[in-house]
Amino acid sequence: MENGESNMSNQRCEVLKDSSWYSQFRNVCNPWLARYVYALIFLVANLLAWAARDELSSLTALTQLKGVKGCKVGKDCLGADGVLRVSMGCFLFYMIMFWSTAGTSKLKEGRDEWHSGWWLVKTVLLILVTIFPFLLPSKLIELYGEVAHFGAGVFLLIQLISIISFITWLTDCFASEKYAERCQIQVMLFATVSYFICLGGIILMYIWYAPLPSCLLNIFFITWTLVLLQLMTSVSLHPKVNAGILSPGLMGLYVVFLCWCAIRSEPAGADCIRKSEPESKTDWQSIISFVVAILALVVATFSTGIDSKCFQFRKSDPPAEDDVPYGYGFFHFVFATGAMYFAMLLIGWNSHHSMKKWTIDIGWTSAWVRIVNEWLAVCVYLWMLVAPIIWKSRHADSTT
């Protein structure tokens, strides 16, 4: 499928070569390649926001700069404020792309060529929207920071639904007639390993993050995660649901991971978090963890952006040869909300909260966001299991 789309895109490129516009705007006429370019732009924005928070704020010449219109002094455009300004520029770019590509359905449309090409124009546009937030007063940036809390929540919700949809799709795939018999042993093995990892992770969290009886909050987080894991398994194995053991095992991995991230997001001063080395020292592990977190965010945003089908409530017809390979509008909308999300990670969901260098998503607000995301994930998963039964019973009652 992807090769067919690429061949059709190459044919359109050959047509564009005959026009005078092509010599001025050399386009990457391939929507599959274009998505990687947009991901690269998103990665650069993440690195620029990090530089505004950790690196540029330490330069004396920049902190004394007073020539930028939106800044009372140069340091107002750095630190947390600088992160929000970079995030706003990235958000504006992807929202413009969203408004200009939403609803694109065919490869030969002008909006398809705009999405997949015209990179010189979009480069100029990106530079302009990146500079624009630095010309705005700090009050508007603070307002954007408040709105970004909501946008980041939307991103987490989209990502959550995408992950659950992938888990249910994988489970349905293994349960299909094609793979049900020959993959039965593999499914049992994979599910068993998942449960052992979940239980092992919970035990380790008790040892590392709840060493004392006074660590009531962490004990509550970890114990409740264990309860949710048992609840998902029980509902999935209920005779009326019969969803198997693989999907709750995979969801358990995700839920345990969110609990671990939540506890790891607790501030360094928390008494119930064991640290092998003093927090005042930035070591290579902190740097590697930060880089991995940034790359994971970009990959998660990229993979979620091309998964628009999980939000289709109706089964669509088989795609035609000239249909777009993924939803352009949804793709850019995910990146726009992702721009708000990376801002929240870099400032700890609080513009007045100082973040240590080479840290990301640290603070009590970050911890509670992760915990709420975990609970919401379980609620959405359980609803996806129970909803068909409820709708079926209501339909039966209405027909009788």
Side-chain angles (χ1 to χ4, degrees):
M1 180 66 182
E2 184 169 338
N3 293 333
E5 302 293 356
S6 177
N7 293 333
M8 294 185 63
S9 300
N10 292 334
Q11 293 176 2
R12 289 191 293 109
C13 286
E14 294 296 331
V15 175
L16 286 174
K17 287 181 180 179
D18 297 332
S19 64
S20 59
W21 288 103
Y22 182 81
S23 59
Q24 301 179 29
F25 305 103
R26 291 188 177 273
N27 299 320
V28 179
C29 300
N30 190 329
W32 291 104
L33 180 59
R35 57 183 182 166
Y36 293 104
V37 179
Y38 290 115
L40 179 61
I41 293 173
F42 188 75
L43 174 61
V44 172
N46 277 261
L47 297 177
L48 184 59
W50 160 76
R53 190 197 71 174
D54 289 351
E55 299 299 326
L56 299 181
S57 58
S58 62
L59 299 180
T60 306
L62 289 176
T63 57
Q64 299 300 323
L65 179 64
K66 298 183 180 180
V68 182
K69 181 179 178 181
C71 310
K72 296 179 181 179
V73 292
K75 62 183 180 181
D76 290 340
C77 285
L78 304 174
D81 200 60
V83 171
L84 292 175
R85 292 178 189 271
V86 174
S87 169
M88 184 178 184
C90 184
F91 169 78
L92 291 176
F93 173 76
Y94 285 107
M95 283 305 296
I96 291 174
M97 294 303 304
F98 164 73
W99 289 324
S100 58
T101 60
T104 306
S105 58
K106 300 297 180 181
L107 289 172
K108 295 182 179 180
E109 293 185 20
R111 289 177 296 177
D112 168 59
E113 296 179 0
W114 165 245
H115 167 80
S116 304
W118 295 85
W119 294 107
L120 179 58
V121 176
K122 285 186 285 193
T123 300
V124 175
L125 174 64
L126 180 60
I127 294 174
L128 292 177
V129 297
T130 302
I131 296 175
F132 174 71
F134 287 88
L135 304 178
L136 298 177
S138 296
K139 290 185 178 180
L140 287 180
I141 301 302
E142 292 177 2
L143 178 61
Y144 169 77
E146 296 299 325
V147 177
H149 285 82
F150 173 77
V154 172
F155 174 82
L156 287 174
L157 180 61
I158 294 175
Q159 186 184 56
L160 171 63
I161 296 176
S162 177
I163 292 175
I164 295 178
S165 297
F166 172 75
I167 291 176
T168 54
W169 170 84
L170 185 63
T171 303
D172 294 339
C173 181
F174 281 115
S176 63
E177 296 181 358
K178 184 177 180 181
Y179 300 102
E181 294 185 0
R182 60 179 179 178
C183 296
Q184 187 174 6
I185 297 178
Q186 291 85 340
V187 170
M188 291 292 296
L189 180 62
F190 196 18
T192 303
V193 172
S194 298
Y195 282 110
F196 272 110
I197 294 176
C198 291
L199 294 178
I202 290 174
I203 293 174
L204 290 177
M205 283 193 291
Y206 273 121
I207 297 174
W208 291 340
Y209 305 128
L212 302 174
S214 59
C215 302
L216 295 180
L217 185 59
N218 286 352
I219 292 175
F220 168 72
F221 287 160
I222 301 170
T223 305
W224 188 243
T225 299
L226 180 61
V227 172
L228 293 178
L229 177 62
Q230 179 63 38
L231 178 62
M232 290 189 298
T233 304
S234 301
V235 173
S236 179
L237 296 178
H238 193 277
K240 292 185 177 181
V241 178
N242 195 22
I245 62 173
L246 180 59
S247 62
L250 297 177
M251 275 299 300
L253 292 175
Y254 182 57
V255 167
V256 171
F257 172 75
L258 289 178
C259 181
W260 175 78
C261 290
I263 298 178
R264 289 289 298 175
S265 295
E266 294 178 2
D271 296 332
C272 296
I273 300 181
R274 290 185 175 180
K275 302 294 182 181
S276 58
E277 295 183 7
E279 286 294 325
S280 59
K281 182 180 179 180
T282 302
D283 56 6
W284 62 272
Q285 293 182 353
S286 300
I287 298 175
I288 293 178
S289 299
F290 179 85
V291 173
V292 170
I294 292 293
L295 294 177
L297 172 60
V298 175
V299 172
T301 307
F302 174 82
S303 59
T304 304
I306 59 177
D307 193 23
S308 58
K309 292 183 179 180
C310 68
F311 292 88
Q312 294 178 354
F313 297 98
R314 297 179 180 178
K315 292 185 177 180
S316 57
D317 298 331
E321 292 184 357
D322 59 343
D323 286 347
V324 294
Y326 52 92
Y328 296 161
F330 178 81
F331 178 83
H332 293 295
F333 180 77
V334 170
F335 273 90
T337 56
M340 293 181 168
Y341 180 63
F342 80 67
M344 294 297 102
L345 294 184
L346 288 174
I347 66 175
W349 297 80
N350 186 356
S351 59
H352 303 291
H353 170 62
S354 60
M355 295 280 289
K356 183 188 173 184
K357 191 174 181 180
W358 296 111
T359 59
I360 186 171
D361 200 23
I362 298 298
W364 282 113
T365 305
S366 299
W368 278 105
V369 167
R370 294 290 186 183
I371 287 296
V372 173
N373 191 31
E374 174 194 344
W375 297 346
L376 182 60
V378 175
C379 292
V380 173
Y381 173 74
L382 293 178
W383 172 249
M384 293 180 67
L385 294 179
V386 177
I389 301 176
I390 297 177
W391 290 338
K392 185 177 180 180
S393 61
R394 288 184 178 180
H395 180 70
D397 294 338
S398 61
T399 55
T400 56

